[in-house]
Amino acid sequence: MRHLARLADYCSITNMHTKNLAIVWAPNLLRSKQIESACFSGTAAFMEVRIQSVVVEFILNHVDVLFSSKLSSVIRDGAGVWL
């Protein structure tokens, strides 16, 4: 994820900002067997992929916080209470 976030830093050159990266990578990073099965219609599959892309975009925009050592230690120790 950090690598993709770094790629987004060069969006002025590549035009691959976080939204574009999320659209491309979300189906692979958040693979869903439901989407791949025949039970999802085209519209439902599109909506599911859209949700995946929003999640990946959020992660890319907040990669420094989500993957920080401070957050990891709080989660590991179970000491953090978030409201």
Side-chain angles (χ1 to χ4, degrees):
M1 292 308 278
R2 287 179 196 220
H3 175 69
L4 292 177
R6 264 184 263 136
L7 285 175
D9 290 340
Y10 296 96
C11 67
S12 61
I13 299 168
T14 64
N15 200 31
M16 291 301 286
H17 44 81
T18 55
K19 186 171 184 140
N20 285 345
L21 289 167
I23 290 169
V24 171
W25 283 96
N28 293 306
L29 295 172
L30 301 176
R31 192 172 198 160
S32 171
K33 291 186 183 213
Q34 290 176 331
I35 293 175
E36 295 172 1
S37 71
C39 69
F40 264 74
S41 69
T43 303
F46 175 76
M47 291 306 293
E48 186 75 16
V49 169
R50 183 171 174 188
I51 292 167
Q52 289 174 339
S53 114
V54 168
V55 169
V56 171
E57 184 179 2
F58 176 84
I59 293 169
L60 290 174
N61 285 326
H62 299 91
V63 73
D64 292 334
V65 174
L66 294 171
F67 296 100
S68 73
S69 58
K70 183 178 178 182
L71 180 62
S72 296
S73 66
V74 168
I75 292 170
R76 184 180 54 248
D77 297 338
V81 177
W82 296 20
L83 301 175

